[in-house]
Amino acid sequence: MKRFQDHSDRLDYPLKKVGDHFERITWEQAYKEISERANQIIEQYGPRSCAMVGGATPGSQAELVFARAMMSAIGSQYQYNAIGIEFCGSWWSHGKIFGDQMHFLEPDDDNCEVLMFWGSNSYVSGQILNAREKIRSASQNPDRQVIVVDPRLSETARISDMHIMLRSGTDALLLRAMIALIIKKGWQDQNYLDKYVKDFQLVKPWFKDVDIKEAIRVCGLPYEQVEAFCKILTTKKWGVHQDLGLFMGRHNTLNSYLLLTLAVVTGVALMPGGCIVNDCVVTRGKSIDENDPKVWRTVETNRFPIMETYPSAVLAQEILSEKPEHLRLIFCSASNPLRSYPDTNAMEKAMRKLDLLVTVDVCMTETARISDYVLPVKSTYETYDFNAFQMNYPEMTAQIKHPVITKQIGERKEGGQIWIEMPKALGKMPQLPDRLYKVAEKAVQKNDRIAFFRSLILYTIKNKVQVDLLPAVVGEVLGKYMGSPTKAVFWAAMMTSPIAGSGMVERAGIKPNGKHPIMEKLPKMKDICVMDAAYQLLLDRPEGAVIGKVDPDTMINRHIVHKDKKIHLYCDEINEYIKRITPEKEAEILNGNQEFPMVLSSGNHTDYGVNIGMRNPATYKYHNPYKLAVHPDDAKQIGVSEGQEVTVTTKAGSIKIPVEYTWQTSPGYVLVPHHFGIEFNGQKIGQSANTLSHSEDLDELTGNPMLRHIRCRIEPSKTHNKPAL
Ligand SMILES: Nc1nc2c(c(=O)[nH]1)N[C@H]1C(S)=C(S)[C@@H](COP(=O)(O)OP(=O)(O)OC[C@H]3O[C@@H](n4cnc5c(=O)[nH]c(N)nc54)[C@H](O)[C@@H]3O)O[C@H]1N2
Ligand SMILES: Nc1nc2c(c(=O)[nH]1)N[C@H]1C(S)=C(S)[C@@H](COP(=O)(O)OP(=O)(O)OC[C@H]3O[C@@H](n4cnc5c(=O)[nH]c(N)nc54)[C@H](O)[C@@H]3O)O[C@H]1N2
Ligand SMILES: [Mo]
């Protein structure tokens, strides 16, 4: 914690770029100047010239709620964040198949007979709760199996019962062949398909004329293993944790679509003991229909948002565009797009071209360094905070994280506070009546917010306040008396929670507090009273509490959101796309690149970094993690030995990095960690993995990048530089 919280590059005061250096300014001056320049740009070029970048870290998402409110006050739909690098294809597929992009499938970890990891190394990345304990216990249980689909003998694969070590980039082909094999053998769950699926007959032809044996051969797998795998998946209840190997792979949207189709065809989708949904207390955004004409497309690349997030990989092109409405103004928070977004060279060029870049961060990052204004935010240890990705099932837990450091350091502000003050400075916040403040004060004194809820709704209707602005209003008014906008906005999030009115909160034993006998009986108001009681429970229990319980029998009904209450497998876009995924065509593409004969994973979520959040290299004292993982056979062929520096070149750029032998990967496949390319306390540490990714190598359906499959070439460095660490 100390290495993150307290180091030489932490920010304490607002800074303004003057010439080639920063000068300390007051918050007042920062708001005044930023708002004048921002308003000028928006007036001249319209709100499409403005985007929000970031807003959330993997562990805390409170700021995003406020940042989104500010963007809707500005009138811009453009939001870019990490979701647009990872989940786009998966969430889009969920939207098409189940009718909602927000609720994605996860394994029923404790109850499934087969716990599968597809393109996921959860043993290291901890993407399921208590990952190590859960994976070990499933692996050691003689009645359960762990199966891993990964081109690498990852830490998770190492303790699995079955490792499907496919060739990198062949997931879509494998999935197509597997579903074809299952249908050919008649192993599909016909009862499930008849009961829940609208259009299985329409998608059957997708799997008809597939040369299954040849496809499996191109995937680099023995036919017998894949047949045994299909047999297991059609006779046992299985759940799958899908992650970046799939989400950032070749054909990544199709990968996700087909994996969900496999779960439907084998009858485990939305079934207890199979693939379930971890409900979330806080909405993660709005499910988007990209064909709705009100939904903006990007100006240059014509891309659409998924769950309100645009594909991050097109950001550089959207800034560099020559069109008059291109992006000119960016508010960036809790993100370091200059390193985390694809194509570092393009990002550097683009972000420097902006008319105004305002960065909110805990420390001086690469993005902050080229910003016009840098604003210091309190870290998650210094503020209230919350997470929209709780992963509990069937019991739902939630927590309002409390600050552990309460001392005011420098002039750091809570993120929520900054994103309330900014729209105020921009003149985009409505004038709030004194009465609302008075009711809020009482609500906090009495620990009961029902009267405030009523006043807020009346005020909103009377003054036609945009609903999207309400988080800012609640943060401002209720936050004033709670001492934290974030603590207050969690209440608003609970009032509008996807689980409100589902009966799940009552199932967890939470009842209204009894102080509003009439309202507690009225249909909609009753739900509000229940949610307010749940919020009170969380205030009383800083360690978090169970605030909901899933009813497994109604889960499928709740999460099939299409109007006809059926699963829809057919979709025009996939119908077009899947025909191209044949063994012949795939083999031709995979084998046919002489200039870049090897495959690179740009990024690897390791123990030695948390994306680029942990910048202080003090932790690397005994181990230098800036290494290219190479199979020894490849190293021999390239002519390099352990520790020697190589140059990795792709179509986007090149980096120099020392080699580390590993038996984990297969020949032809190398990995570079993505935690580097940073400057800390004046010291340069490694090079950015995204120098190697190109902003145009995107999944054609959703624009998600293919960071786990980049063609590359490796050569011994001519000048053997001292390793960067
Ligand atoms: N310690 C630590 N933990 C973290 C993070 C961190 O930086 N450090 N980051 C967090 C975040 S934000 C995220 S999103 C998660 C990511 O968590 P993961 O997705 O588990 O992380 P990756 O290392 O990308 O692992 C993906 C796996 O996919 C495999 N893979 C590569 N190519 C292919 C392919 O073509 N097909 C298949 N099937 N598999 C392939 C890789 O070999 C690798 O084992 O981790 C989270 N946890
Ligand atoms: N090549 C390649 N690129 C990748 C990946 C990959 O595997 N390969 N992984 C991708 C993935 S999965 C993800 S999630 C993204 C992550 O990419 P980003 O979302 O850009 O996140 P980080 O790079 O970790 O930067 C987070 C920033 O937030 C700051 N910060 C920490 N706490 C707070 C806070 O409370 N408030 C504010 N305002 N700032 C704070 C940190 O100092 C840091 O600068 O990277 C992606 N980029
Ligand atoms: Mo991530």
Side-chain angles (χ1 to χ4, degrees), residues 113-172:
E113 288 170 279
V114 177
L115 180 57
M116 182 156 55
F117 295 88
W118 198 306
S120 150
N121 187 18
S122 261
Y123 194 78
V124 169
S125 57
Q127 291 282 77
I128 59 174
L129 274 190
N130 304 328
R132 293 196 178 188
E133 190 195 314
K134 282 205 175 155
I135 300 169
R136 276 202 179 281
S137 110
S139 154
Q140 284 164 359
N141 185 334
D143 299 326
R144 300 184 68 195
Q145 275 174 293
V146 173
I147 300 183
V148 173
V149 185
D150 196 312
R152 203 169 59 101
L153 183 64
S154 65
E155 289 75 0
T156 315
R158 194 172 280 169
I159 59 162
S160 67
D161 297 275
M162 183 185 251
H163 179 197
I164 308 287
M165 198 169 180
L166 82 176
R167 178 175 183 179
S168 161
T170 58
D171 300 77

Side-chain angles (χ1 to χ4, degrees), residues 36 84 175 193 206 344 346 441 449 514 517 561 599 644 690 720:
E36 277 170 11
L175 281 158
L193 290 165
W206 293 353
T344 304
E441 189 174 13
R449 292 141 297 264
V561 184
V599 175
Q644 197 177 332
N690 277 312
H720 180 83

Side-chain angles (χ1 to χ4, degrees), residues 10-14 26-28 31 63 360-362 375-379 382-383 408-419 421:
R10 266 301 304 256
L11 298 165
D12 287 332
Y13 302 99
T26 63
W27 277 101
E28 290 67 34
Y31 286 133
E63 264 186 72
V360 175
D361 205 295
V362 295
L375 305 177
V377 69
K378 288 186 176 178
S379 80
E382 297 167 273
T383 52
Q408 173 68 42
I409 304 170
E411 290 179 10
R412 298 172 190 171
K413 283 193 193 225
E414 181 176 316
Q417 191 71 41
I418 298 174
W419 298 117
E421 287 167 3

Side-chain angles (χ1 to χ4, degrees), residues 341-389:
Y341 285 15
D343 210 334
T344 304
N345 292 331
M347 282 301 296
E348 291 262 6
K349 192 169 156 208
M351 297 291 270
R352 286 176 197 278
K353 191 193 156 204
L354 288 167
D355 294 357
L356 179 60
L357 173 58
V358 179
T359 293
V360 175
D361 205 295
V362 295
C363 64
M364 190 50 92
T365 64
E366 289 58 45
T367 308
R369 246 175 229 124
I370 63 151
S371 299
D372 300 290
Y373 294 88
V374 180
L375 305 177
V377 69
K378 288 186 176 178
S379 80
T380 194
Y381 298 116
E382 297 167 273
T383 52
Y384 289 91
D385 213 330
F386 56 81
N387 188 334
F389 289 84

Side-chain angles (χ1 to χ4, degrees), residues 111 271 302 447 504 528 560 709:
N111 303 305
M271 284 289 154
N302 197 33
N447 259 334
M504 283 162 61
I528 295 298
I560 300 179
H709 191 96

